[in-house]
Every structure is written in structure tokens, then in C-alpha cells.
């Protein structure tokens, strides 16, 4: 393809949108859910297994990959696509969020952040220029600007100075980014939950100009109601013709609510992490597969699901594998959970194209049983 990564908006239904992201490694229908491949692998899944779920795009983490195996090494080995046998598009984060949440001693200044690796205590530094260079070595189709994810809660003054720092770093990220056909750089809107700051951030980013726009600084403990309230005014500030990405979100209900508000792209560790802790996302809601009630249940995790775990195995078997700490348990459950999130976004997309999004969203939510335990904060434990 000629020119940078691009986006075609195909349909709108209320605030919800269906589109296609065009990248160097293929097209991606939106709304899209990207499984998280933290350290060069979607945990417990082969690349073929990830593909079989319908996933078209995955995420890699700059922080993890720069520490191990190292960005330059990944580049020498042919890039992340080749290394992990994932030939579809890859989005990488900037490393900023995980430096703040995972690393040991760290010191931020106007130029960047110096930190200690959580693996061996070694000292490293990330600046906008270095983050962009690392993402170039990784061969990310979508590179994210280096920014500071404003902690929540923040006063308006704290949120303003944090956002303005991120906007200066966004300009430096744009300057450092090396354009290639089918590749793009996304800006990240900050400003916490303050409307005037979100507007100032959106203006600063659109003035610089990016191939896509992320809404940052949400899903950090503010709760779903406050997140939706912030999206209500934040999303319309972003350019209509460009893709919008809500970072680190979320539960099925979060995703449906954000799609309704005009978000196109999502990533979250929920399906993979839950797969390793015995939780299944299903058309009836969340199930704890460790629960004793599954011990004699020969039915599928989700009778409506067509994944390997559901077509070939019973709840009883999955429960046994998880209780016995067999590797196959988390593998099958992760497979199922990712398939569930892919089915969810595919249903939303089909409904948008047919102008029946609200009815579809209501039909999906109506089947959830209210017995599910509350979901832990979606951005915690991004390493696991
Ligand atoms: Zn399944």
C-alpha cells in the first residue's frame, strides 16, 4: 500500500462506528479487540491458536520487550511479526504506562524517565525518541506516542501539567517517527476526567496530526460510570475520519458502552489473564470454572461458542484441568475467552452495519446473569 496506515469509516449507527483499518500487514475490521501479547506471545496461545479465534491484530509491550529480549535483538531477528509468527498487524504501546506501574526506582524529568528493570534492577531510560526507536525495531504497524498516563484521581492542576508534558512528548514522538507505507503513529489524548483539558489535548494532537487517536488515562480506577461520562465529551473532540482507540479496556460491558460512544479499537488483558485464573467469559456472563458445580457437568463452557474448548470439551474437564493445575486448562480457557471477545466485537460490527446496534447491545447484555463476581481493575497486572 502507498502512504501511511489509513482508516475507512464504513457505517455509523448512533455514535457507534464500523470501519476498516488498513495496515502494512493487512486490513482489520472495526470495532476490533486486540489480544495482548505482552512479551512477544499472547500467553498460553500459539500464534495459530490466536488466529483461529478470529483475532486480526495483537498488542506488544515496549517495556517488556526492551528489557527482554531487547529491541535491537528483535529487530535483528526480523521484527516482532517474524519472531512471534504473527503476520497480521501489531500495535505496540510506548512503555510509559508500564514504567510507571511496574518498574522499581524511577525518576521522571521533562525529557523522559529513568528507571530500574523489574527483572534484574538494571538501569534504563525512555524518552519519546527512544520509545519511537524501539517500536520501530519491533516493527509495529501502530506505534504509540510516548506519554504519561495521568494517575487517577488527579487535581485539575496535576492533570493539566501532566497532559501538557504528554503533548510536548507527542510532538517529539511525531518528529522521531519514521514514516513507512502502511505504518502509523497514534497520538494519545490525556486530561483525566476534565472536559476542558481533554479539549486542549485534542486540539494539540490534531494540530500535530496523527494516523489515529487514543483516549488515554482511563480504566485506571475511575469506574465505568465516570469512564463513560468522560468518553461522552472526549470522543467527539477527536477527528471523525481517524480510528479511535481506548487503551486497556475492558470488560464486555465496557466495550459495548465505549463502542456506543464512538470507539473503534480496544485491548485488554482480561481474556488472557482470566483464562489463567479460571474465569470464563460467556454469553451468560462470567463463570468461575473452579466452582464445584461444574464437576459433573458434561456441557460446554458456553453452548453458543464455537471455540475448540467448547466444541470438544466439557465444563467438567476444564474444571478438572484447572484444579489439577494442568497447563492445558489455562490454554483452553484463554482460547475460549479470546474467542468470546472476538465474537462480541464481530456481533457489534455486524449490528452497526445493519443499523441495529442498540438492539444487539441490549440483547447481549440481557443474557448476562448477575451472579458474576465483580471484575478487578482492568489495567492491573498487565505483566501477567
Ligand atoms: Zn468457547
Amino acid at each position: 500500500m502507498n502512504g501511511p496506515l489509513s482508516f475507512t469509516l464504513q457505517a455509523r449507527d448512533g455514535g457507534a462506528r464500523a470501519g476498516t483499518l488498513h495496515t502494512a500487514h493487512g486490513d482489520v475490521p472495526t470495532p476490533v479487540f486486540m489480544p495482548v501479547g505482552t512479551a512477544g506471545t499472547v500467553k498460553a496461545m500459539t500464534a495459530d491458536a490466536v488466529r483461529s479465534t478470529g483475532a486480526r491484530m495483537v498488542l506488544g509491550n515496549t517495556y517488556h520487550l526492551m528489557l527482554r529480549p531487547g529491541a535491537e535483538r528483535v529487530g535483528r531477528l526480523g521484527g516482532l511479526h517474524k519472531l512471534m509468527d504473527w503476520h497480521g498487524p501489531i500495535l505496540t504501546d510506548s512503555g510509559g504506562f508500564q514504567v510507571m506501574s511496574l518498574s522499581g526506582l524511577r525518576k521522571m524529568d521533562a525529557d523522559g524517565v529513568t528507571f530500574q528493570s523489574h527483572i534484574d534492577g538494571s538501569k534504563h531510560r525512555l524518552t519519546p525518541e527512544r520509545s519511537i526507536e524501539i517500536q520501530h525495531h519491533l516493527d509495529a504497524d501502530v506505534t504509540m506516542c510516548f506519554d504519561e498516563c495521568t494517575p487517577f484521581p488527579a487535581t485539575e492542576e496535576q492533570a493539566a501539567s501532566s497532559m501538557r508534558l504528554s503533548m510536548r512528548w507527542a510532538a517529539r514522538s511525531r518528529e522521531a517517527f519514521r514514516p513507512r507505507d502502511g505504518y502509523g503513529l497514534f497520538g494519545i489524548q490525556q486530561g483525566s476526567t476534565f472536559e476542558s483539558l481533554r479539549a486542549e489535548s485534542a486540539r494539540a494532537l490534531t494540530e500535530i496530526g496523527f494516523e489515529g487517536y487514543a483516549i488515554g488515562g482511563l480504566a485506571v480506577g475511575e469506574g465505568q460510570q465516570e469512564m463513560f461520562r468522560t468518553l461522552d465529551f472526549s470522543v467527539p473532540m477527536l477527528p471523525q475520519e481517524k480510528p479511535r482507540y481506548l487503551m486497556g479496556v475492558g470488560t464486555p460491558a465496557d466495550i459495548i458502552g465505549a463502542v456506543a460512544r464512538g470507539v473503534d479499537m480496544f485491548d485488554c488483558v482480561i481474556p488472557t489473564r482470566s483464562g489463567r485464573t479460571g474465569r470464563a467469559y460467556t454469553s451468560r456472563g462470567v463463570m468461575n470454572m473452579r466452582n464445584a458445580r461444574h464437576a459433573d457437568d458434561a456441557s460446554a463452557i458456553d453452548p453458543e461458542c464455537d471455540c475448540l474448548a467448547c466444541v470438544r470439551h466439557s465444563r467438567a474437564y476444564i474444571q478438572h484441568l484447572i484444579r489439577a493445575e494442568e497447563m492445558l486448562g489455562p490454554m483452553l480457557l484463554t482460547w475460549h475467552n479470546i474467542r468470546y471477545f472476538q465474537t462480541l466485537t464481530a456481533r457489534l460490527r455486524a449490528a452497526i452495519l445493519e443499523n441495529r446496534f442498540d438492539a444487539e447491545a441490549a440483547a447481549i447484555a440481557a443474557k448476562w446473569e448477575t451472579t458474576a463476581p465483580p471484575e478487578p481493575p482492568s489495567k492491573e497486572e498487565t505483566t501477567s
Side-chain angles (χ1 to χ4, degrees), residues 301-302 305-311 335-337 339:
I301 300 171
D302 186 349
C305 180
D306 58 3
C307 84
L308 181 82
C310 291
V311 170
W335 199 322
H336 164 77
N337 282 339
R339 177 63 186 150

Side-chain angles (χ1 to χ4, degrees), residues 57-284:
M57 184 166 186
V58 300
L59 182 142
N61 287 123
T62 284
Y63 172 83
H64 291 280
L65 294 164
M66 72 183 281
L67 297 180
R68 197 169 53 189
E72 276 72 12
R73 178 173 291 133
V74 173
R76 284 195 301 274
L77 292 167
L80 196 52
H81 298 90
K82 188 174 178 205
L83 190 66
M84 65 187 281
D85 184 34
W86 179 261
H87 305 289
I90 296 175
L91 178 150
T92 48
D93 65 5
S94 72
F97 176 76
Q98 293 192 318
V99 165
M100 299 318 277
S101 58
L102 296 175
S103 70
L105 290 174
R106 56 184 179 265
K107 194 170 178 298
M108 215 173 86
D109 53 64
D111 189 53
V113 55
T114 303
F115 62 95
Q116 271 189 326
S117 160
H118 74 288
I119 300 165
D120 59 7
S122 57
K123 208 171 162 185
H124 299 266
R125 183 159 173 81
L126 269 177
T127 61
E129 291 76 18
R130 179 59 183 150
S131 171
I132 301 299
E133 183 183 28
I134 289 170
Q135 295 180 74
H136 182 88
H137 287 308
L138 299 176
D139 197 26
D141 297 81
V142 174
T143 291
M144 298 303 298
C145 281
F146 188 66
D147 73 337
E148 183 191 35
C149 178
T150 307
F152 182 86
T155 65
E156 189 159 358
E157 199 180 4
Q158 289 165 339
S161 72
S162 168
M163 179 271 288
R164 285 169 195 148
L165 174 70
S166 288
M167 296 307 101
R168 290 192 293 276
W169 286 358
R172 283 170 53 185
S173 296
R174 176 87 266 181
E175 193 68 27
F177 181 77
R178 283 177 267 174
R180 287 179 288 168
D181 287 350
Y183 291 76
L185 178 65
F186 280 25
I188 306 174
Q189 184 199 42
Q190 293 288 351
S192 191
T193 53
F194 303 101
E195 186 167 357
S196 63
L197 298 182
R198 288 278 168 185
E200 181 183 330
S201 180
R203 281 194 303 273
L205 294 174
T206 45
E207 194 163 305
I208 299 166
F210 293 97
E211 282 71 59
Y213 294 83
I215 302 115
L218 291 178
V220 289
E222 76 281 2
Q224 190 190 68
Q225 202 182 351
E226 188 64 0
M227 178 171 82
F228 285 169
R229 188 189 72 84
T230 306
L231 289 176
D232 280 334
F233 54 73
S234 298
V235 178
M237 297 168 178
L238 303 173
Q240 286 285 330
E241 69 282 4
K242 295 289 168 70
R244 297 137 168 197
Y245 164 35
L246 182 55
M247 305 174 75
V249 170
T251 64
D254 291 339
I255 290 173
I256 292 173
V259 168
R261 289 166 174 81
V263 176
D264 309 301
M265 301 170 67
F266 301 89
D267 81 281
C268 190
V269 295
I270 282 181
T272 39
R273 189 186 63 204
S274 298
R276 300 192 304 282
T277 57
R279 293 156 63 90
Y281 279 79
T282 77
S283 55
R284 313 290 288 198

